[in-house]
Amino acid sequence: MLLTITTTRYPATDLSYMLHKHPAKLQTIDLPKGQAHIFYPEVSDERCTIAMVVELDPVALVRSSNPQGDAFALEQYVNDRPYAASSFMSAAIAKAFSSAMNGRCKDKPELVDIPMPFEVKLAVVPVRGGEQILKYALEPLGYTVKAERHELDTVFTGWGESRYYTVTLTNTCRLSDLLSHLYVLIPVFDNSKHYWVSDGEVEKLLEKGEGWLATHPAKDMITRRYLKNMSGLTKMALNRLLTEDAPTPDDEHEEPVSEEKIRLHDHRLETVKQELLLTGAKRILDLGCGEGKLLKLLLAEKQFEFILGMDVSLRALEIAKERLNLEKLSSKYRARIELIQSALTYRDQRLCGYDAAALVEVIEHLDESRLQALTGNVFGFARPEYVIITTPNREYNVLFESMPEGKLRHSDHRFEWTRTEFETWANTIAGNHGYTVTFKPVGPLNETLGAPTQMAIFKIVD
Ligand code: SAH
């Protein structure tokens, strides 16, 4: 079985530093049931590829304490394990690239947090459930998936197709994320494991899935298959993922509660509603809808024929459901609104086909390194005609009397931007994704410091 990882980020040879593998050397590492050979088929500053060939010893596999397959029919000797990417490949990745997978790079530590363009090729991957399972697991993580399915036998074509695929994946992401995704997902596709699955596997899954599994739309399937369909362990892992779920939900999402600030939030929501009305939009997304305050305002406007509220936090969605009285709404209103749990850092097909999206006080809740995923998904993938984003203007903070200097307005805020920072960011996104953008202050305007909230209104270029 063969894995290759290619990057084209200049200088592409950085890949060798990040993987701690010298480009001029063939390295062989021992695995419990075979060996992995690592080398570079191409090395240049423009393009660099590392390859890992995993060779398993079929006889050693049979001599293990827990051989798979039917002993009588010789299946233990003649099977796909030496050739198909499976948990053996994951074990080889973990052994060969453990530093990179844990986000460490001795010589160039600044590289580990940089998303880079990668192309991964895996030959071959057995996939139970076919191409749609590959896509279900990989596309939300931003991968483009190309899967070439192989015939069972090229001579006896009548035997039909096999479950083996040559898979090519492209994505721009951090190397540590890429390796963790492969580590977890390869055995998920295969839906089998070469070793006994115990509680320790739950820890491994949570560790390698940190930052992406808890909110992945396919987390149930991934968890169940990774844990070899053992229901007790699966339940345990899913419960743990649920508590890991999300940023703190919403009751104190705004800055310290003073009357002034409550008024500001209401004013902000009212402003966003007015802007949405002006666009003429009929189908609206409220991304990071929180407890549903904007949803409630929007539902009262007939122009908005359908409103989708989305948030990563289940608890916030529960509160929104109550605030909107969803269960008691008349069918006319009920048909106009839907709430879903999803994460802005994943591609989600359900967000496509809308006229406008609002992100009110949401972006500052994401780490800056995750914002690229958000913009790719909203502006590159869902692509509503209008996007309205509001965020605090940090310059204004000195005017909040109760706020200690240098503090942010809320403990879950990862950053607060000055007007220049926000405008630079928004202009770059608009340029990259084919939108125009205008800016408006929201709230009482101070001549030098601006308004407490800044708002960007993006419109797609026709
Ligand atoms: N828009 C609401 C809530 C703002 S608080 C309002 O103005 O009242 C920020 C919200 O963003 C929270 O509800 C939080 O759960 C949500 N959020 C944070 N990160 C998210 C992500 N990656 N995907 C979706 N929602 C997210």
Side-chain angles (χ1 to χ4, degrees), residues 53-86:
V53 177
V54 178
E55 272 191 332
L56 295 179
D57 175 357
V59 177
L61 289 179
V62 180
R63 300 219 170 110
S64 71
S65 52
N66 178 29
Q68 297 187 351
D70 181 341
F72 181 69
L74 287 184
E75 194 192 329
Q76 289 176 359
Y77 288 91
V78 186
N79 61 49
D80 70 354
R81 294 297 89 179
Y83 316 105
S86 64

Side-chain angles (χ1 to χ4, degrees), residues 215 217 310-313 317 340-344 346 348 350-351:
T215 48
M310 169 283 221
D311 203 284
V312 76
S313 159
L317 289 169
I340 59 167
Q341 189 197 19
S342 187
L344 283 158
Y346 296 106
D348 190 335
R350 294 172 296 179
L351 306 184

Side-chain angles (χ1 to χ4, degrees), residues 151-171:
E151 289 170 321
L152 267 177
D153 193 303
T154 47
V155 178
F156 301 101
T157 48
W159 291 0
E161 307 254 55
S162 70
R163 64 186 173 97
Y164 300 101
Y165 292 78
T166 296
V167 176
T168 310
L169 309 173
T170 45
N171 197 3

Side-chain angles (χ1 to χ4, degrees), residues 192-305:
S192 164
K193 275 233 162 107
H194 68 276
Y195 48 85
W196 182 244
V197 173
S198 62
D199 291 12
E201 281 308 286
V202 173
E203 298 307 321
K204 251 194 251 170
L205 175 67
L206 295 176
E207 184 198 320
K208 300 292 188 284
E210 196 189 329
W212 61 273
L213 185 57
T215 48
H216 194 299
K219 82 172 169 202
D220 288 17
M221 183 275 286
I222 294 171
T223 306
R224 180 168 38 76
R225 284 185 168 206
Y226 185 90
L227 297 170
K228 240 179 152 176
N229 298 305
M230 296 184 50
S231 58
L233 291 182
T234 305
K235 227 187 244 162
M236 190 194 317
L238 286 173
N239 276 338
R240 296 263 305 270
L241 283 170
L242 209 69
T243 48
E244 207 196 75
D245 181 2
T248 44
D250 206 53
D251 31 31
E252 18 131 43
H253 260 305
E254 247 336 289
E255 42 265 20
V257 197
S258 68
E259 233 178 89
E260 183 189 6
K261 301 212 177 114
I262 293 172
R263 275 204 311 275
L264 171 62
H265 192 49
D266 289 344
H267 176 63
R268 185 159 52 213
L269 295 174
E270 190 57 36
T271 311
V272 170
K273 184 188 87 179
Q274 290 303 336
E275 289 294 337
L276 286 169
L277 284 169
L278 281 178
T279 65
K282 297 195 166 88
R283 291 172 54 80
I284 312 288
L285 290 168
D286 184 2
L287 304 176
C289 63
E291 299 174 355
K293 292 181 195 141
L294 180 65
L295 294 172
K296 193 160 184 184
L297 290 181
L298 300 182
L299 199 57
E301 299 292 337
K302 277 208 223 65
Q303 175 182 319
F304 303 130
E305 291 171 4

